[in-house]
Amino acid sequence: MPATNHHCQLGLRLDYVHHNPGEERAESQYLDPAYLDALGYTGQVSDRHVQAAVSLESYLPDLWKDDPETRDWITSYADRIRTEFQRTKKAGLACFAWTDFVVLPKSLLERFADELTLDVEIDDPFDVKGKVRPNIKSTFTQEVLRAQIREIFATFPELDGLVVRVGETYLHNLPHHTGGDPIVHGPESHVDLLTLMREEICEKLGKTLVYRTWMSGIDELAEPYLEATNQVKPHPNLYFVIKHCIGDFHRTHRFSPPLGTGKHQQLIEIQCQREYEGKGAFPNFIAAGVIDGFEEYDNLMPAGEIRSVRELVGLPQTAGILTWSRGGGWQGPYIKDELWCDINARVLTMWAQNPELPTDDIVDRVLRDLKFSDRDRPKMKEILDLSAKAIVRGVTGTRGDIDTLWTRDEYFGGFEAGSPFMTRAVESVLAGNQVQATLAEMAEAVAIWKQIETLSMTLEHADAQRLAFIRTSCSYGRIYQEIVYAGWTVILLGEQGVRSGEFDVSGMRQAIESYQRGWENWNKLSQRPECSTLYQDTYCHYVADKGMIPADGMGTSVSRYAKLIPQRVDRPSLGHRS
């Protein structure tokens, strides 16, 4: 499936809906292949574990003689997911499966542990009990993987290819399987795995391999990426998918250096439901920043470096995009309407079909398709543009000196042992004498959100339920930012006072009262049926087989600093916990 190039069109346009591991599957119109086809996507990536839906009996016929229960589970699982692939093909889309490598049956690991695994411990903060480090250099491991690949495509002839993930391995929905990251020797391990998969998938079967670089050691810098990929011969069915920014999907993360380099076809990976920035609970327009470059890149990147996907158009490496229309991260907030995610995905895929068009023209077309009138489209565009400005000022700051993981999913960090990223962010702000600059940007973000909320109240739409969501989500964003600003103010002023012995009592009192009032308003807003679920005033840490567990966060810090100054009113509760 080589990419086509029609009027510089990005020929391979894939979409993926990620479901929280261990939770009920999300509902989304992006699970409907007919919807994707109508938007101009060429393929759908299914979040199904095809690596766990094959028996490996072609290689080991007696594998299940003592474990018929697992054999029955594999057969049943394969039957359940086959209809999903058939639906994708019926809609005329290419069908891909998101696949973790290496994942194998526990029975196999128990019988052949010495041949399959390395005797090393996993140094992984997101470890899951039962993970192993597969020995990709073992002849036996390679034979098993070849058999697994052949059986995947024999079991599911509807599949056009695999999107292969290494680095992260989640086993929450796979009671009979285990596995782990095979990349233990840097670029050398990539070459070993890629050589095997290229031969089996691309050459022998004529299928497509999309190799994901995230968390693999070759995703953030051009040099290791080139060291690994230059040792692999290109193939028209081989693609590398690389996030548009370094690391995870945060603002103030620089544009990805591996993009536009090397001799292989590349897909640009983009998250539309930003897990660190509200998850669609409030407006967060990132599509224009991805296409044309985010404003903070003027502070963070030297002139002359590629900083937008528009600059990649026409390069021989650039073959397409892979959007996460929905999903990412863990838990909430859970949204009642996917409008803001939908706008990001629509703009990106429409742009990929028409990369010569100005982004503003594409946004206008998308809003027209979503039934916004001539009167309201300019207002919606202003809301979208303002949301991008508000997010970078209110969550990460424009300077790039705040650890962006201080908040994630539905959690707010604090200056606490359980919130190492927030602690790092606060220390950085204090050490750089940036307290006033940081708080000034957050105050500006609050003002921007008030503009957004006011604009939303002037909108009209034929769909009353959607209009209610728009207005409520804009109020949600304003209250969110007021709480963030107040919480950060308490923590920064409080820690300054602890270290200097002199507290800004008036400023802290005002911020504490704003923090409490914000939670009261947010809880009241949450009573509306269209409102997304709320954040928590805790942070989180990962516990094997349980997911994200609350840890001390912003609420603990605000309460702790509040006790250090005289209070006008006794407030026993300063946050929100569910």
Side-chain angles (χ1 to χ4, degrees):
M1 287 179 51
T4 59
N5 188 10
H6 178 65
H7 300 303
C8 290
Q9 186 179 88
L10 305 190
L12 194 56
R13 301 181 294 277
L14 308 181
D15 185 66
Y16 171 65
V17 173
H18 178 79
H19 305 274
N20 286 355
E23 295 187 22
E24 293 293 322
R25 292 174 68 79
E27 295 183 5
S28 172
Q29 58 198 344
Y30 280 84
L31 293 171
D32 181 358
Y35 187 77
L36 297 181
D37 182 55
L39 294 183
Y41 282 101
T42 62
Q44 182 174 33
V45 181
S46 174
D47 186 14
R48 294 295 190 178
H49 304 287
V50 292
Q51 71 276 24
V54 296
S55 68
L56 297 175
E57 288 173 315
S58 65
Y59 183 66
L60 294 165
D62 66 341
L63 180 58
W64 306 112
K65 65 178 183 179
D66 298 322
D67 189 9
E69 178 187 353
T70 298
R71 182 66 179 85
D72 291 344
W73 184 92
I74 289 171
T75 300
S76 175
Y77 182 62
D79 290 341
R80 291 202 310 272
I81 65 179
R82 184 176 290 107
T83 55
E84 185 175 306
F85 301 152
Q86 292 170 343
R87 189 169 68 134
T88 299
K89 293 301 292 182
K90 186 177 180 180
L93 295 181
C95 181
F96 292 83
W98 185 274
T99 316
D100 284 343
F101 266 61
V102 173
V103 170
L104 297 169
K106 291 177 181 177
S107 296
L108 183 70
L109 267 296
E110 290 168 1
R111 284 178 59 180
F112 302 102
D114 291 342
E115 295 92 338
L116 286 168
T117 64
L118 291 170
D119 186 19
V120 296
E121 299 210 356
I122 296 180
D123 181 18
D124 178 4
F126 299 108
D127 188 19
V128 176
K129 187 172 71 174
K131 277 189 186 178
V132 297
R133 295 308 291 263
N135 183 2
I136 194 64
K137 286 194 171 297
S138 160
T139 300
F140 183 77
T141 302
Q142 292 180 10
E143 290 174 350
V144 169
L145 292 181
R146 290 179 189 276
Q148 185 183 52
I149 290 168
R150 290 193 298 270
E151 286 193 23
I152 285 172
F153 287 101
T155 304
F156 305 108
E158 303 85 1
L159 283 178
D160 293 287
L162 300 179
V163 177
V164 172
R165 175 173 69 175
V166 296
E168 287 181 295
T169 306
Y170 295 114
L171 307 168
H172 296 72
N173 303 311
L174 304 177
H176 303 286
H177 290 74
T178 185
D181 182 9
I183 308 303
V184 295
H185 299 297
E188 180 183 346
S189 295
H190 285 289
V191 174
D192 292 336
L193 185 58
L194 279 162
T195 299
L196 183 154
M197 291 193 297
R198 180 188 181 280
E199 181 180 336
E200 291 295 332
I201 298 173
C202 303
E203 292 186 350
K204 293 182 180 179
L205 297 173
K207 301 288 187 174
T208 298
L209 168 61
V210 179
Y211 191 80
R212 193 165 178 257
T213 63
W214 159 244
M215 272 188 70
S216 71
I218 61 171
D219 57 321
E220 295 191 4
L221 298 173
E223 291 77 9
Y225 170 79
L226 294 173
E227 182 183 351
T229 60
N230 282 348
Q231 298 181 63
V232 179
K233 185 179 179 181
H235 191 283
N237 289 354
L238 172 60
Y239 299 81
F240 290 84
V241 60
I242 304 168
K243 291 188 176 184
H244 67 85
C245 60
I246 286 176
D248 220 339
F249 295 111
H250 302 265
R251 296 289 295 268
T252 71
H253 283 204
R254 296 170 65 247
F255 197 79
S256 181
L259 284 170
T261 69
K263 58 186 183 181
H264 293 277
Q265 300 174 100
Q266 297 175 340
L267 306 183
I268 306 153
E269 184 176 338
I270 310 160
Q271 187 181 52
C272 301
Q273 184 179 18
R274 304 273 282 199
E275 67 201 74
Y276 304 98
E277 301 159 4
K279 287 190 171 179
F282 48 73
N284 181 13
F285 185 51
I286 54 90
V290 173
I291 293 169
D292 297 314
F294 289 104
E295 63 168 293
E296 63 268 23
Y297 286 168
D298 288 339
N299 299 332
L300 303 175
M301 298 183 64
E305 287 190 5
I306 293 177
R307 59 178 66 180
S308 70
V309 298
R310 190 182 292 279
E311 296 174 77
L312 299 172
V313 176
L315 297 180
Q317 298 88 353
T318 306
I321 62 172
L322 188 157
T323 58
W324 295 45
S325 56
R326 292 291 308 277
W330 301 81
Q331 299 178 347
Y334 301 101
I335 60 178
K336 309 294 178 62
D337 187 318
E338 58 188 2
L339 172 66
W340 306 117
C341 316
D342 188 27
I343 290 174
N344 281 324
R346 282 171 172 263
V347 169
L348 288 163
T349 191
M350 186 177 288
W351 171 82
Q353 297 167 78
N354 308 275
E356 74 284 355
L357 290 181
T359 306
D360 188 68
D361 290 358
I362 293 172
V363 175
D364 194 74
R365 292 188 187 187
V366 166
L367 294 176
R368 187 184 301 117
D369 290 344
L370 290 170
K371 310 302 182 187
F372 289 95
S373 67
D374 292 348
R375 167 188 173 274
D376 287 319
R377 286 199 301 279
K379 297 179 182 181
M380 277 293 291
K381 283 197 278 187
E382 188 173 1
I383 286 173
L384 295 173
D385 291 341
L386 287 171
S387 75
K389 295 179 183 297
I391 294 297
V392 72
R393 286 161 177 78
V395 180
T396 63
T398 59
R399 300 182 308 276
D401 61 343
I402 292 176
D403 193 306
T404 50
L405 271 165
W406 75 265
T407 179
R408 62 162 303 146
D409 303 301
E410 60 186 15
Y411 298 104
F412 288 140
F415 195 69
E416 306 293 331
S419 302
F421 304 104
M422 179 64 159
T423 298
R424 192 180 305 162
V426 170
E427 291 287 6
S428 175
V429 170
L430 292 172
N433 293 318
Q434 296 293 335
V435 170
Q436 294 307 314
T438 298
L439 296 181
E441 283 201 322
M442 290 188 174
E444 184 182 359
V446 171
I448 294 171
W449 276 113
K450 289 179 179 178
Q451 287 181 260
I452 292 171
E453 185 178 33
T454 299
L455 277 168
S456 75
M457 297 304 173
T458 69
L459 289 171
E460 297 296 337
H461 198 276
D463 185 335
Q465 188 172 355
R466 168 147 285 180
L467 181 61
F469 170 77
I470 292 171
R471 292 175 173 174
T472 294
S473 67
C474 291
S475 296
Y476 186 114
R478 187 260 303 167
I479 298 170
Y480 161 93
Q481 192 60 62
E482 287 177 340
I483 289 173
V484 168
Y485 174 41
W488 267 84
T489 301
V490 174
I491 292 170
L492 288 175
L493 296 184
E495 191 57 25
Q496 277 187 324
V498 168
R499 298 182 184 195
S500 69
E502 297 182 7
F503 288 92
D504 180 352
V505 175
S506 175
M508 289 184 65
R509 279 179 176 168
Q510 184 177 354
I512 291 165
E513 292 174 3
S514 295
Y515 185 80
Q516 176 63 21
R517 186 167 55 251
W519 281 108
E520 291 170 354
N521 292 337
W522 221 3
N523 280 301
K524 187 181 300 181
L525 187 77
S526 71
Q527 302 307 306
R528 299 183 187 179
E530 70 275 5
C531 185
S532 304
T533 61
L534 300 187
Y535 277 66
Q536 311 295 314
D537 66 351
T538 57
Y539 198 62
C540 57
H541 65 276
Y542 189 85
V543 173
D545 299 332
K546 294 182 180 179
M548 291 297 183
I549 302 300
D552 286 340
M554 184 171 283
T556 300
S557 291
V558 171
S559 295
R560 180 164 54 82
Y561 289 116
K563 293 175 183 176
L564 301 179
I565 62 170
Q567 295 295 302
R568 293 173 181 164
V569 181
D570 182 25
R571 298 187 183 276
S573 176
L574 288 169
H576 173 82
R577 290 183 172 86
S578 64

